[in-house]
Amino acid sequence: MAFVPAPSPTVVDQTTLMKKYLQFVAALTDTNTPDETKLKMMQEVSENFENVTSSPQYSTFLEHIIPRFLTFLQDGEHHKHVIYLPQLRKLVLEIIHRIPTNEHLRPHIKNILSVMFRFLEIESEENVLICLRIIIELHKQFRPPISQEIHHFLDFVKQIYKDLSKVVVCTFTLTHMFKSTTSENTVPSPEMVGMITSVLVKTAPDREDSETRTHTIIPRGSLSLKVLAELPIIVVLMYQLYKLNIHNVVSEFVPLIMNTIMLQVSPQARQHKLFNKELYADFIAAQIKTLSFLAYIIRIYQDLVGKYSQQMVKGMLQLLSNCPSETAHLRKELLIAAKHILTTDLRSQFIPCMDKLFDESILIGSGYTARETLRPLAYSTLADLVHHVRQNLPLTDLSLAVQLFAKNIDDESLPSNIQTMSCKLLLNLVDCIRSKSEQENGNGRDILMRMLEVFVLKFHTIARYQLVSIFKKCKPQSEMGVVDPGALPGVPATPTPSTTPAPPPAPPTPVAAPPQPPYPGVMCGQPAA
């Protein structure tokens, strides 16, 4: 079939245009049409898809294209090595994802979901990510009844978590560096795809002078760290929709989550010159998304999570330490997940390692963006934890808390609510410091004196730089009955009009009499004494 680009939709009749696009879609399953032509046809359909969805014939069009699309995708599973077919499959999936989720689509969702769930296990990383978005949208909009495919999907996700340690070892070991290539004309095994990013292929293998080309290898979805980062949100969605049916199944994720956040890349691999930082960021993102999943279910399965509390604490501290400095968005998500976890009774498990949380290089990291944007979130999360466990903290940790939050009181780069929060926390620590100092025979007096000095200096700063502007905004002193701010130490006096009567005006001279003052006792153009 010859491919002829379509003129503008404003010129061509809608009915004719829809018939043409139906022919394009029908050509997908035609073995006599070249894949390159099919790709160009689908590109045109994709570019004009908004016009298609607004057409009166859209419902009929949908009834014809969905079966064709699904047939094409399933028939092409065993021919994905063809040069144009991967692009074509991805484009078809993107078109399916763009179909409006209205009542016209409802009769087709069962068949679409069946194919999408199956593709999760066999498709490439890019296509699996699209399949996941399709699954999410269809479940959010239509809430289909639970099926055996849901249980199979949850088993599939659990298996990915179980195999993750092997994937991490293979992906981040020095023997399989990410920028390496296989030998020429060698197709890597499925287990290697994801670690090897390219292969060398000779256009004419029989000739010695044959041209060599480099082909990029897309990792399989089940071995992809990007895919793993998207799976927790779908499990959460499934739990929201089918809570009664999968409650026990979701509980089986708890030990898998703990093992996942405990995984680390060896220091030797991270220091290698070929270390792939982007892939490592994907790995950290997958761990943080998994921790966010735990934050969602922690209250539902709190007793079960409590059995793995030590792993949880260690894993969270590792993530705070290992999160790359340039990924501030990941650290923000990590702090939000930690904030939710620390609102439960399991926060007491963090008491033995509070000294690490008081270390700003661990809590906030060394990245400029993180320090500029995440300090309020980090300090409020830590302050909430300290407030609830303060009675159980040793004097050394209380001293670290005073040192950190006292510094925040005079930090003008922090919002005023964080400074106020720091003041309140320090006041709440006074009794704890006194009692712990008596119990441990420590230097609680010195800590309290430093705290008092911080408050005095803060009052001095307020009086010197802020009270003046505050009083200017207030009513006159005669109405307020307040003390003159000039009487405060360090505040410059504000000149006020004198109440002493002015001396009588000088007698007139023979030359010219001065003008009469408008007010008794005050000369024109001369201030009162």
Side-chain angles (χ1 to χ4, degrees):
M1 178 185 296
F3 171 73
V4 180
S8 172
T10 57
V11 179
V12 181
D13 180 70
Q14 280 284 346
T15 304
T16 305
L17 191 63
M18 297 296 282
K19 288 181 179 179
K20 183 174 184 178
Y21 289 157
L22 283 174
Q23 292 176 356
F24 284 1
V25 175
L28 280 176
T29 54
D30 183 7
T31 56
N32 296 322
T33 304
D35 289 334
E36 183 177 5
T37 303
K38 294 178 182 179
L39 179 60
K40 291 180 179 179
M41 290 176 176
M42 287 302 101
Q43 287 172 344
E44 182 177 333
V45 173
S46 177
E47 291 170 1
N48 297 278
F49 198 67
E50 284 72 17
N51 297 323
V52 172
T53 56
S54 60
S55 171
Q57 296 87 16
Y58 170 66
S59 178
T60 305
F61 180 78
L62 204 60
E63 293 178 1
H64 286 83
I65 68 167
I66 294 297
R68 294 279 189 177
F69 280 167
L70 298 181
T71 301
F72 164 75
L73 290 171
Q74 295 176 89
D75 290 346
E77 291 178 23
H78 307 293
H79 306 283
K80 288 181 285 187
H81 61 278
V82 181
I83 185 170
Y84 292 106
L85 200 53
Q87 303 174 51
L88 187 54
R89 292 174 65 83
K90 180 182 177 183
L91 185 57
V92 170
L93 286 170
E94 288 175 343
I95 293 175
I96 294 175
H97 180 238
R98 291 171 58 193
I99 296 176
T101 52
N102 51 31
E103 290 303 312
H104 295 300
L105 187 61
R106 185 180 291 276
H108 309 283
I109 60 171
K110 182 177 180 181
N111 293 333
I112 294 176
L113 287 175
S114 178
V115 174
M116 295 303 110
F117 275 123
R118 188 156 57 85
F119 279 6
L120 296 181
E121 303 181 30
I122 60 176
E123 275 291 343
S124 65
E125 175 187 87
E126 291 181 344
N127 290 351
V128 167
L129 291 174
I130 301 173
C131 292
L132 290 175
R133 290 196 291 268
I134 294 173
I135 292 172
I136 291 174
E137 289 299 322
L138 293 182
H139 277 84
K140 281 183 177 179
Q141 183 66 28
F142 298 106
R143 298 176 176 264
I146 191 169
S147 62
Q148 187 60 35
E149 291 165 344
I150 303 294
H151 292 281
H152 184 73
F153 166 73
L154 294 175
D155 292 338
F156 167 68
V157 176
K158 285 190 289 186
Q159 191 60 45
I160 289 181
Y161 278 116
K162 291 176 182 178
D163 297 338
L164 182 59
S165 59
K166 299 177 183 177
V167 173
V168 171
V169 170
C170 294
T171 304
F172 292 100
T173 51
L174 296 177
T175 54
H176 299 299
M177 274 300 154
F178 326 113
K179 297 180 181 179
S180 63
T181 57
T182 59
S183 57
E184 294 181 357
N185 286 45
T186 302
V187 178
S189 63
E191 292 76 16
M192 294 292 292
V193 174
M195 294 157 277
I196 297 173
T197 58
S198 60
V199 293
L200 299 176
V201 178
K202 285 187 175 182
T203 55
D206 299 335
R207 297 173 53 185
E208 294 183 0
D209 59 345
S210 172
E211 179 185 358
T212 302
R213 297 179 181 177
T214 302
H215 288 266
T216 301
I217 299 297
I218 302 175
R220 196 171 70 184
S222 58
L223 300 175
S224 167
L225 296 172
K226 281 187 172 69
V227 170
L228 179 61
E230 299 299 325
L231 292 177
I233 189 174
I234 303 187
V235 178
V236 169
L237 177 62
M238 297 303 174
Y239 183 83
Q240 292 173 341
L241 296 177
Y242 314 111
K243 183 183 302 184
L244 299 178
N245 303 91
I246 63 174
H247 180 82
N248 294 332
V249 177
V250 175
S251 66
E252 299 173 6
F253 280 92
V254 172
L256 300 175
I257 291 172
M258 300 306 178
N259 293 334
T260 298
I261 63 175
M262 284 285 292
L263 292 174
Q264 287 194 95
V265 178
S266 66
Q268 294 82 5
R270 295 182 63 181
Q271 294 171 4
H272 197 277
K273 62 181 181 180
L274 294 179
F275 182 70
N276 191 325
K277 293 184 178 180
E278 293 182 4
L279 194 59
Y280 181 69
D282 291 340
F283 170 60
I284 296 296
Q287 289 185 301
I288 292 175
K289 295 285 187 181
T290 304
L291 184 67
S292 300
F293 176 32
L294 176 66
Y296 176 80
I297 65 173
I298 190 168
R299 291 188 180 277
I300 305 171
Y301 303 98
Q302 187 164 328
D303 293 339
L304 179 60
V305 175
K307 299 178 181 179
Y308 302 91
S309 58
Q310 296 302 315
Q311 288 178 271
M312 179 185 68
V313 173
K314 186 176 180 181
M316 288 177 61
L317 291 175
Q318 286 180 180
L319 285 174
L320 285 170
S321 301
N322 297 336
C323 187
S325 58
E326 62 273 12
T327 56
H329 64 288
L330 294 180
R331 186 173 290 273
K332 179 180 180 179
E333 191 168 350
L334 174 58
L335 289 172
I336 292 174
K339 192 177 186 71
H340 285 286
I341 293 173
L342 293 174
T343 58
T344 67
D345 294 337
L346 295 175
R347 55 179 164 242
S348 59
Q349 301 297 322
F350 290 84
I351 293 176
C353 39
M354 288 295 295
D355 57 326
K356 295 183 175 62
L357 293 176
F358 288 126
D359 186 349
E360 291 183 276
S361 64
I362 295 177
L363 182 66
I364 304 173
S366 58
Y368 175 80
T369 304
R371 294 196 63 82
E372 289 297 312
T373 60
L374 299 183
R375 285 194 300 159
L377 174 60
Y379 292 145
S380 61
T381 301
L382 182 59
D384 186 63
L385 173 62
V386 173
H387 173 74
H388 285 91
V389 301
R390 64 187 188 278
Q391 300 290 349
N392 301 314
L393 293 179
L395 190 61
T396 53
D397 287 346
L398 292 172
S399 177
L400 291 174
V402 171
Q403 181 178 352
L404 176 62
F405 289 98
K407 180 179 64 176
N408 293 343
I409 291 178
D410 267 324
D411 191 343
E412 294 299 328
S413 65
L414 290 172
S416 58
N417 64 318
I418 298 298
Q419 298 181 38
T420 305
M421 176 204 69
S422 300
C423 291
K424 291 180 178 178
L425 178 65
L426 292 181
L427 292 175
N428 289 333
L429 295 180
V430 171
D431 289 338
C432 299
I433 294 173
R434 180 188 57 79
S435 60
K436 289 294 180 180
S437 179
E438 294 174 355
Q439 295 174 13
E440 302 176 14
N441 195 22
N443 60 338
R445 178 183 176 85
D446 295 338
I447 298 174
L448 294 176
M449 289 303 295
R450 290 206 312 270
M451 190 187 303
L452 180 61
E453 182 181 3
V454 168
F455 281 117
V456 171
L457 292 175
K458 184 63 178 177
F459 282 129
H460 182 270
T461 302
I462 294 173
R464 186 173 183 83
Y465 298 106
Q466 298 177 0
L467 273 188
V468 176
S469 60
I470 292 174
F471 277 115
K472 286 181 179 178
K473 297 177 182 178
C474 294
K475 295 181 179 180
Q477 296 177 25
S478 59
E479 299 180 19
M480 297 292 294
V482 296
V483 181
D484 181 3
L488 297 172
V491 180
T494 304
T496 56
S498 175
T499 56
T500 306
T509 61
V511 179
Q516 291 298 318
Y519 300 100
V522 181
M523 296 294 292
C524 287
Q526 182 178 356

